[in-house]
Amino acid sequence: MNLDEALKTFIIESRELLEQMEEALLRIEQEPDDAEVVNAIFRAAHTIKGSAGLFGLEYVVAFTHVAESVLDKVRSGELRVDADLIALLLESRDHIGVLVDHAAEGEEPGDATNQHGGELITRLNAYLGHQAEAKPAGMPVEHEHKFEKEGGGRVATDNWHISLRFGPDLLCNGMDPLAFIRYLETLGEIVNVVTLTEAIPALSEIDPESCYLGFEISFQSNADKAAIEGVFEFVREDSQIAIMPPHSKAYEYLKLIQDLPEQEMRLGEILVKCGTLTRAELENTLREQAQNSEHPPRPIGEVLVEKHIVQATVVEAALEKQKQVKESKSAEASLIRVDAEKLDQLINLVGELTIAGAGASLAAQRSGIPELQEATATMSRLVEEVRDSALTLRMVQIGGTFNRFQRVVRDVSKELGKDIRLEISGAETELDKTVVEKIGDPLTHLVRNSMDHGIEPAEVRVANGKPAHGSLKLNAYHDSGSIVIEVIDDGGGLKKDRILMKAIERGLVQPDANLSDKEIFNLIFEPGFSTADAISNLSGRGVGMDVVKRNIMALRGTVDLDSVEGQGTTVSIRLPLTLAIIDGFLVSVGKSSFVIPLDLVVECIELSDEDRSAAGERNYLSLRGQVLPYLRLRDQFDIEGDRVRRENVVVVQYGNARAGLVVDTLQGEFQTVIKPLGRIFSHINGIGGSTILGSGEVALILDVPRLVQQVSSKGERSMFEA
């Protein structure tokens, strides 16, 4: 991987971490005592800071370091989470996102960004207990040396502690114990020496050539542990030597362990890499462990702590690092990151394969060769499986989009001075990635509208017998081959009389029009329609709602409203699962072919002679006692030619509405690669796209939702007139 690819990966992962951080911050606001969530926030900030440092992005490192320090205090219990701190951390999270965006653009932050970062650092520093001068985000980070107390023990000071137990043959080997201590002074200052004489035997038993001395030394030095251990290199094998670092060093070791790369390492390797354990100490400990008869052998971490070679907190940090790496590797092993453009290219190729497969099947049928027909049938089945698998790769859960609204609801609630709570359900519902990306803006508009104009102020709600806090729900589920997304509020609801009056004033409907409740509610989707001057709790609902509807229709979706005055409003968005390839049902009228999305087809029946003869008087039939409105595609699209003797009705359902489409011939299922229509055809009502048949001819894909709506409206009027 080259540096550009690595930086790109850093940008993607940082944005994902920031999303996780935002979600965790919003969660910790509700559950401030959840230590795991706090740790998750800290880890996200720490990972971003560490990765940014690898690319020399000092402005990211500098700012994130301060935020991380505050999070560290929260993690250690020194700071209590409250609303102000959450708000500040969310702002800090946003600022990190801005800095990451600058990194993505390959540019340094501007003055405005640096000024905002400086202001945030000043506020963060207040939580750190010092009023450090705010530094622009571009300034290098100053790593603080943290000194902590553990309540005493062997290493309660900020000095090295060296325990020496020289071997008895030291003098015989021509070495002087004091020579080592004097040499030690070349690396620092010996603060205190305690000579241990307990091992000296009675005078009559003393061997003048044996060494019985031991020393406990308090030593101040900036040298590392390996250098200090090197002083005793010649006597290390015959002596017992324990070197405990000062407490400030222990903190450095903890930081070094946290900053180690995400690689699987053994405990000893981690401790050696961070410098708290020398290679010689590790080898000695492993050798002793191997010679020990205990089964199973004691964990090396326990042995190192017991022998006072490594502090317990450092061992715990190393074990935690091991655990994190394993979890990370486990997650990475089950997922791979694929460029979305490559997926789009794959879908396009599968689409072409599907069209080519249809052509091959048609040629096989015309040839009449059984072996060829069987081979093409097998190939068609495999192509269908490949198609389904490829489309699955593009499916993502709607939960990621829903979770972003936790922040929107929180911020807008505070802005409006309302207490509004968001409930999410159906987050695991999957739909096409393209749909997910494009549904965000319409949803944002609907959510803000519900909060701003739908849900009443607390005093009004209480006066109406409602809870003081408002409720907003985002729900998603699959239904008849579509995905339905609902935005539900428990606000004041729509006042249909006022909407109808406003529509009549604007000339949108005739005064004597007989409209259903649904048709009245849907008037707010008319361009420029607004009841802001007349209806207080609907103010602004018309503003931009036409844009919402247009964006949803561009995704081949529909939007409907249902409302009960005083109880709330439900906005239902119905979207196709995918925008690329669908299972279709091929029909024909005259020489024209049409495709109906198979998921919307309920059944097919033959149009009876009685219904054919009554076609001039009514446009509905009786289907097992139920009224079924229908339309003839021949009339809908002005197709020339005489009607065939036997016509068929394809019964389709969209949502709760059913309708019949009268066609000449039923040709069966057909794998349909959706091709967009050009602008010149965009005005044709009832057509949603096109596809290419195996013969190379073009078939039009019916816009069933639009046709069902059209048929239902005509049917209701026909029955009313009858």
Side-chain angles (χ1 to χ4, degrees), residues 262-559:
E262 298 288 324
Q263 297 176 354
E264 289 193 41
M265 289 184 287
R266 296 188 175 186
L267 179 65
E269 292 175 314
I270 295 176
L271 297 175
V272 170
K273 277 188 176 291
C274 76
T276 190
L277 182 70
T278 66
R279 181 66 62 182
E281 289 174 330
L282 175 61
E283 291 173 354
N284 287 336
T285 306
L286 289 174
R287 192 182 307 118
E288 292 175 10
Q289 187 185 39
Q291 294 171 352
N292 199 311
S293 59
E294 286 182 315
H295 186 77
R298 294 176 59 198
I300 190 171
E302 287 185 15
V303 177
L304 291 171
V305 171
E306 184 181 275
K307 297 178 70 174
H308 303 294
I309 298 175
V310 181
Q311 288 151 305
T313 53
V314 179
V315 172
E316 290 172 2
L319 291 172
E320 179 64 22
K321 180 72 178 182
Q322 272 189 319
K323 181 181 175 185
Q324 288 178 16
V325 170
K326 286 180 180 176
E327 291 175 351
S328 174
K329 294 294 180 186
S330 176
E332 288 176 4
S334 60
L335 297 172
I336 59 170
R337 197 182 300 278
V338 179
D339 192 327
E341 291 183 2
K342 292 182 179 178
L343 278 183
D344 292 340
Q345 185 180 10
L346 174 64
I347 297 299
N348 289 335
L349 289 174
V350 170
E352 297 301 322
L353 182 63
T354 302
I355 294 172
S361 297
L362 183 62
Q365 288 177 2
R366 289 175 177 171
S367 70
I369 304 173
E371 293 82 1
L372 183 58
Q373 292 177 355
E374 184 177 350
T376 53
T378 303
M379 191 181 73
S380 296
R381 178 176 54 79
L382 292 173
V383 167
E384 187 174 351
E385 292 179 4
V386 170
R387 181 206 66 179
D388 292 342
S389 299
L391 291 177
T392 301
L393 297 177
R394 288 182 56 90
M395 303 298 278
V396 297
Q397 294 186 349
I398 191 71
T401 301
F402 278 2
N403 286 333
R404 293 210 300 269
F405 288 97
Q406 295 280 8
R407 179 73 180 277
V408 173
V409 170
R410 179 189 181 278
D411 292 348
V412 175
S413 296
K414 291 188 179 300
E415 181 183 337
L416 297 174
K418 297 179 180 177
D419 181 8
I420 301 175
R421 301 173 188 179
L422 176 65
E423 296 178 30
I424 291 175
S425 57
E428 70 285 354
T429 308
E430 292 186 331
L431 73 167
D432 192 277
K433 177 177 179 294
T434 304
V435 180
V436 170
E437 291 172 349
K438 293 182 178 178
I439 199 62
D441 288 343
L443 272 182
T444 301
H445 196 94
L446 292 173
V447 167
R448 291 183 66 90
N449 255 357
S450 290
M451 297 178 67
D452 193 7
H453 309 295
I455 296 178
E456 318 92 322
E459 59 274 15
V460 176
R461 293 180 60 84
V462 172
N464 291 333
K466 293 182 176 180
H469 68 269
S471 175
L472 183 68
K473 297 179 182 176
L474 287 175
N475 182 36
Y477 58 90
H478 286 153
D479 180 52
S480 301
S482 303
I483 180 175
V484 179
I485 301 173
E486 294 178 332
V487 181
I488 308 168
D489 69 60
D490 67 346
L494 300 176
K495 297 181 178 178
K496 61 181 181 181
D497 294 340
R498 307 294 291 271
I499 296 175
L500 184 59
M501 183 178 68
K502 192 72 176 180
I504 294 172
E505 288 176 4
R506 293 199 54 198
L508 295 174
V509 296
Q510 296 299 319
D512 58 348
N514 184 21
L515 301 179
S516 65
D517 290 352
K518 185 177 179 181
E519 289 173 325
I520 295 173
F521 293 148
N522 284 335
L523 286 170
I524 70 171
F525 291 112
E526 291 296 321
F529 187 87
S530 173
T531 56
D533 295 333
I535 307 171
S536 59
N537 73 333
L538 292 179
S539 302
R541 275 189 183 265
V543 180
M545 293 296 277
D546 60 317
V547 179
V548 170
K549 185 174 182 179
R550 192 162 59 243
N551 290 342
I552 293 171
M553 290 179 65
L555 295 170
R556 296 195 293 116
T558 58
V559 56

Side-chain angles (χ1 to χ4, degrees), residues 9 13 47 55 58-59 78 172 204 227 279 303 440 460 469 484-485 491 502 507-508 598 605 626 641 648 705 708:
T9 302
E13 291 181 347
T47 303
F55 296 97
E58 283 298 324
Y59 51 88
E78 296 176 57
C172 295
S204 58
R279 181 66 62 182
V303 177
V460 176
H469 68 269
V484 179
I485 301 173
K502 192 72 176 180
L508 295 174
L598 187 61
I605 59 174
Q626 299 292 320
N648 297 284
V708 168

